[in-house]
Amino acid sequence: MEVITPKRLRLTVKTIRALFFIQFIGVIFLLLLITIVLCIAKIQGAPSLAVPQSTVMYANDGTKIGETHHGQKRFWVNLQDISPFLIEATIAIEDRNFYDHHGFDYKRIAGAFVADLKAMAKVQGASTITQQYARNLFLEHDKTWKRKLAEAFYTIRLEMNFSKESILEGYLNTIYYGHGAYGIEAASRYYFHKHAGELTLAEAAMLAGIPKGPSYYSPYTHFSRAKKRQELILKTMAKVGYITEQEANTAIHEAIKLREHKKEEHANLAPYFQDVVLQEIKEKLQVDEMFIQTKGLQVYTTLDSTLQKIAEETMNKVIAKESDIQIGFAAIDPETGQVKALIGGRDYDKSPFNRAIQAKRQPGSTMKPFLYYTAIENGFTPSTVLKSEPTTFSFNKGQSTYQPSNFHDYYAYDDITLMQALALSDNIYAVKTHLFMGMDKLIETARKLGINSSLKEVPSLALGTSPVNVIEMVNAYGMIANGGHKIEPTFIKRIEDAKGNVLYEFKKESEQILNKQAAFVLTHMMTGMFDEKLNGYTTVTGQKIIDQLTRPYAGKSGTTNADSWMIGFTPQLVAGVWTGYDKGKNIHQVHERMYAKEIWATFMEEALKDQPVKGFQPPEGVIGVNVDPSNGLLAAPGCPVSRLTYYIKGTEPTEYCIDHIDFKDEKQGDEPKINEEKPSIWKKLIPWM
């Protein structure tokens, strides 16, 4: 046992006294700091209500394309003129301890901290009504502790200078309820055409759920979500004792009759594009919808207003007015990923659901370029031949089979080349290639190209059976078009606050994702869908729009029973179109299957009519040779068709086609004469000729 000497005991006592003294000084300092903060808060009084300012969005030429509504639907009503149901519903779901705390609910903060820690993510909020009201009043933008401390100070000022009833009244009159409605009176009039004091229990619970996500929980655009949140609020009200369970159940089953609004003409350009921009602002600045709606942001977007108008006019011209078919369209700059035009549907007023961004549809054969890029990286060339004939494939260690078919059951019943398979969209060749390489290879390439949708490792993936969305497909084609460097769909160039301070600015990526040589070989093969020279046992897939095209394009179409796609590009622009029906209806009309190709061809020609004609320039490491498309061998003088085709150096064919050579009498010893003429400079520069 250790013996404590008197000297050591004296040292221990001194240490304890020192610690107590430090703690005492700390407590005194903390109390002094709190006293100073409270005194300042009392002297300064309550913060003034700031006037909300519109967030304005601009196209890339500086013209205004839209702005948020600010204060157009705002009314101030006294607390006693607001339905008690609405007050109780709000307190129950937002801050059930509102009358018991002094601005900060410490138990709730601790609970939220534990929940977030368990989930390793922000899953539970802890802001009180007073804090939310303070945040609405605080207009400066700062994502650091400065903003949090300022909001906390506003909260203290509110609690010290106003009664709970005044704070609640201010909150309910300033919170955003969506669709340009600020405050409960404006919301009551907008949604139910009645005053805030006339709301039923069911209506009050519906409105109380909206501020958490005004767009997400809007009963006009997402009624099922709004209804689920209403039910949650009613059950919470019953739990805390504001209403009985019977009253909650009655309100849950009460029919909600929303006010009908007359259809308003959209003066704003590209409403689907604007919706995406607003969502992008949230993600890039990490702010809520209230901030965006009221803080006077200046948002400079990537939209090209001319291209957007061309896209919309083309859609209206090509698709019959009486048709219910829908569209998803996107056009981007392949060098930067900047989105130049976007269409999410035929009529935004009828359906704001964005089919270019939110919908996932089977891409069909538009998936094949990703497969054939993978094949080129793994030893295939444009001349690689496989047999096209009805085939049953075994997979999953022989436990499963898959029997694809070609369009209209057209088969060559012979060997065809890779460049023919792509131009003619041969499904047998695609599945053979997919299984030969291993089904994981296509998924790896798709991920490199930014396809984030779920992809199933099955034989049919080669034929585009896993649903994707339009914007990620167009962006992926953009990476093929630019030679393989990384891009991402970009909608915003720059965001400034009301004072002109830059809050965000787009910076171009430069990472090389694909093999540049393989990407070019694929690009040149993709010109084949518009090349009649590649006709084999059927026509190329772009046959019906070839006559409309006046410059070189690379592209791929795709069809399923319910989907029609066309994606293609030049060095300056890539655009993609999906057309189909929303609710599981197949496309039966032949002319409707042509909508995607016709819209794409018309848009591209009109969009580029004032732009210089640019060909696809081969990088170092590839070589172009004239081949016979029917067999992929070097073209001899007797070959009826000769096509300039590009290969990664060292993989080009070395044998000549002899199928069409007129041999002389072998006794005379004459050899067939073959001209090894190199392609002209003109053909190198214009490989589509």
Side-chain angles (χ1 to χ4, degrees):
M1 179 180 294
E2 184 180 2
V3 178
I4 301 176
T5 64
K7 182 178 180 181
R8 188 166 183 181
L9 181 61
R10 286 195 299 272
L11 289 173
T12 303
V13 172
K14 286 182 179 179
T15 302
I16 293 173
R17 286 175 177 173
L19 290 173
F20 272 118
F21 180 74
I22 293 171
Q23 289 178 345
F24 175 75
I25 294 299
V27 171
I28 294 298
F29 178 78
L30 181 61
L31 290 174
L32 182 61
L33 180 63
I34 292 173
T35 302
I36 293 172
V37 170
L38 294 177
C39 288
I40 294 174
K42 188 65 177 177
I43 292 170
Q44 288 191 354
S48 60
L49 179 64
V51 177
Q53 301 177 60
S54 292
T55 285
V56 183
M57 290 171 277
Y58 302 93
N60 64 356
D61 61 356
T63 58
K64 186 171 76 172
I65 62 173
E67 65 182 303
T68 59
H69 299 287
H70 64 284
Q72 292 186 3
K73 306 184 186 96
R74 180 186 291 276
F75 307 91
W76 192 283
V77 290
N78 295 325
L79 194 64
Q80 59 266 30
D81 294 325
I82 299 174
S83 166
F85 292 135
L86 187 281
I87 295 172
E88 292 169 348
T90 301
I91 293 174
I93 198 63
E94 294 293 343
D95 186 4
R96 66 180 67 175
N97 298 317
F98 174 68
Y99 287 106
D100 299 323
H101 62 66
H102 298 287
F104 305 96
D105 191 339
Y106 300 107
K107 290 182 180 180
R108 191 176 174 194
I109 291 171
F113 175 77
V114 172
D116 293 349
L117 194 61
K118 288 180 179 179
M120 297 302 290
K122 184 70 175 175
V123 296
Q124 184 172 318
S127 294
T128 64
I129 284 176
T130 313
Q131 285 176 282
Q132 292 181 54
Y133 185 30
R135 187 176 303 127
N136 293 345
L137 303 180
F138 188 65
L139 298 182
E140 296 299 321
H141 177 81
D142 194 331
K143 294 188 290 183
T144 63
W145 284 102
K146 177 183 176 182
R147 171 179 167 179
K148 294 181 181 295
L149 291 172
E151 288 177 358
F153 189 59
Y154 267 51
T155 301
I156 294 171
R157 290 171 65 186
L158 284 170
E159 287 282 344
M160 290 190 69
N161 291 279
F162 285 115
S163 66
K164 285 290 186 180
E165 288 72 19
S166 296
I167 292 172
L168 186 58
E169 180 179 302
Y171 172 82
L172 292 174
N173 278 287
T174 57
I175 198 70
Y176 184 56
Y177 286 90
H179 299 281
Y182 293 87
I184 189 57
E185 177 68 14
S188 299
R189 296 187 190 187
Y190 184 82
Y191 289 100
F192 298 116
H193 197 48
K194 59 174 60 175
H195 294 293
E198 300 170 340
L199 293 170
T200 67
L201 174 59
E203 293 167 343
M206 177 73 74
L207 292 185
I210 295 175
K212 182 177 176 64
S215 295
Y216 191 83
Y217 291 112
S218 167
Y220 282 113
T221 54
H222 301 291
F223 186 80
S224 60
R225 293 177 188 168
K227 184 64 181 174
K228 286 180 181 178
R229 185 155 174 79
Q230 178 215 39
E231 292 177 11
L232 171 65
I233 292 171
L234 288 167
K235 290 177 181 178
T236 303
M237 291 176 71
K239 184 178 179 181
V240 298
Y242 285 134
I243 58 175
T244 65
E245 290 189 6
Q246 179 61 44
E247 289 173 322
N249 289 329
T250 301
I252 287 172
H253 293 95
E254 179 182 315
I256 295 292
K257 186 177 181 181
L258 296 170
R259 177 185 180 183
E260 291 185 9
H261 293 275
K262 293 182 179 179
K263 180 179 176 181
E264 298 176 1
E265 292 295 326
H266 272 278
N268 293 346
L269 183 65
Y272 292 101
F273 182 93
Q274 290 187 47
D275 281 355
V276 182
V277 169
L278 293 175
Q279 183 60 37
E280 288 275 296
I281 297 171
K282 286 184 186 179
E283 294 173 3
K284 295 187 184 302
L285 299 185
Q286 292 297 295
V287 295
D288 59 19
E289 187 168 344
M290 183 72 175
F291 186 96
I292 298 169
Q293 292 283 341
T294 60
K295 301 325 185 208
L297 302 178
Q298 304 294 298
V299 184
Y300 299 90
T301 76
T302 62
L303 187 78
D304 186 311
S305 54
T306 300
L307 297 188
Q308 180 68 30
K309 290 174 183 176
I310 292 172
E312 293 177 0
E313 289 171 0
T314 301
M315 172 189 70
N316 293 328
K317 177 182 177 182
V318 172
I319 300 178
K321 289 183 179 180
E322 62 274 13
S323 175
D324 292 328
I325 209 162
Q326 282 293 348
I327 182 174
F329 171 92
I332 70 172
D333 178 347
E335 284 300 313
T336 62
Q338 293 184 2
V339 179
K340 299 299 180 183
L342 187 85
I343 298 175
R346 296 275 300 283
D347 189 326
Y348 182 86
D349 289 312
K350 290 181 178 178
S351 172
F353 178 70
N354 195 327
R355 295 157 189 84
I357 304 292
Q358 298 169 285
K360 290 185 182 291
R361 305 295 294 236
Q362 291 183 341
S365 292
T366 57
M367 182 66 70
K368 289 176 181 174
F370 310 154
L371 172 70
Y372 293 143
Y373 168 82
T374 311
I376 293 167
E377 270 206 318
N378 285 272
F380 279 57
T381 78
S383 294
T384 299
V385 294
L386 294 173
K387 195 166 187 177
S388 171
E389 61 183 357
T391 307
T392 299
F393 296 94
S394 296
F395 65 103
N396 194 21
K397 296 181 180 180
Q399 297 180 20
S400 305
T401 60
Y402 176 58
Q403 188 173 6
S405 61
N406 280 348
F407 186 65
H408 285 173
D409 287 325
Y410 288 141
Y411 303 93
Y413 292 97
D414 200 352
D415 287 340
I416 62 171
T417 64
L418 174 56
M419 58 181 158
Q420 284 181 309
L422 182 57
L424 307 175
S425 205
D426 188 277
N427 290 337
I428 305 302
Y429 194 112
V431 177
K432 282 184 178 180
T433 304
H434 183 42
L435 294 176
F436 174 79
M437 291 187 301
M439 292 185 286
D440 60 319
K441 297 293 185 183
L442 173 54
I443 296 176
E444 288 177 9
T445 296
R447 295 291 179 244
K448 284 183 184 178
L449 290 165
I451 305 297
N452 296 317
S453 298
S454 177
L455 302 175
K456 292 184 178 180
E457 194 172 306
V458 292
S460 62
L461 178 62
L463 309 183
T465 53
S466 289
V468 295
N469 62 47
V470 171
I471 194 68
E472 63 184 347
M473 288 295 288
V474 174
N475 189 73
Y477 273 59
M479 281 191 257
I480 296 171
N482 70 32
H485 71 254
K486 183 179 180 179
I487 55 173
E488 293 180 353
T490 302
F491 296 83
I492 300 173
K493 289 183 176 181
R494 190 172 75 259
I495 304 173
E496 297 177 359
D497 65 16
K499 297 179 181 179
N501 299 311
V502 177
L503 306 179
Y504 164 82
E505 193 157 19
F506 167 74
K507 293 182 180 178
K508 180 182 174 183
E509 300 249 8
S510 59
E511 183 182 358
Q512 190 71 28
I513 298 295
L514 305 181
N515 177 284
K516 189 179 295 186
Q517 289 73 30
F520 177 79
V521 171
L522 172 65
T523 294
H524 191 258
M525 285 200 304
M526 290 171 70
T527 66
M529 76 166 290
F530 310 112
D531 191 343
E532 293 175 308
K533 291 181 180 179
L534 288 175
N535 283 4
Y537 57 94
T538 184
T539 58
V540 291
T541 52
Q543 185 76 36
K544 293 184 178 179
I545 57 173
I546 289 176
D547 291 342
Q548 300 178 44
L549 308 179
T550 60
R551 61 177 68 218
Y553 294 100
K556 188 72 190 77
S557 59
T559 57
T560 71
N561 290 334
D563 310 280
S564 182
W565 292 74
M566 179 63 212
I567 312 174
F569 54 86
T570 67
Q572 305 109 304
L573 187 66
V574 54
V577 188
W578 165 84
T579 54
Y581 291 94
D582 279 339
K583 297 180 180 179
K585 180 180 176 182
N586 290 340
I587 304 174
H588 296 293
Q589 301 296 325
V590 175
H591 70 278
E592 288 186 337
R593 290 193 173 278
M594 281 299 298
Y595 281 159
K597 288 179 181 176
E598 291 176 2
I599 291 170
W600 177 85
T602 303
F603 170 81
M604 292 296 282
E605 283 292 304
E606 186 66 22
L608 296 168
K609 68 179 182 180
D610 296 324
Q611 299 294 318
V613 175
K614 289 187 178 180
F616 301 104
Q617 299 303 313
E620 291 186 9
V622 300
I623 185 171
V625 295
N626 286 310
V627 300
D628 184 334
S630 65
N631 53 34
L633 299 176
L634 293 172
C639 291
V641 178
S642 172
R643 186 179 192 270
L644 181 63
T645 305
Y646 284 87
Y647 301 78
I648 297 175
K649 276 188 179 178
T651 68
E652 69 273 16
T654 56
E655 296 182 14
Y656 280 87
C657 170
I658 59 174
D659 293 349
H660 312 97
I661 294 177
D662 183 18
F663 285 90
K664 294 185 178 180
D665 188 352
E666 292 183 5
K667 293 181 181 180
Q668 296 178 0
D670 290 335
E671 296 290 337
K673 187 176 181 181
I674 300 174
N675 292 323
E676 299 187 16
E677 182 181 354
K678 294 182 179 180
S680 67
I681 296 295
W682 180 247
K683 283 192 175 182
K684 284 184 178 180
L685 291 176
I686 311 180
W688 61 92
M689 293 293 287

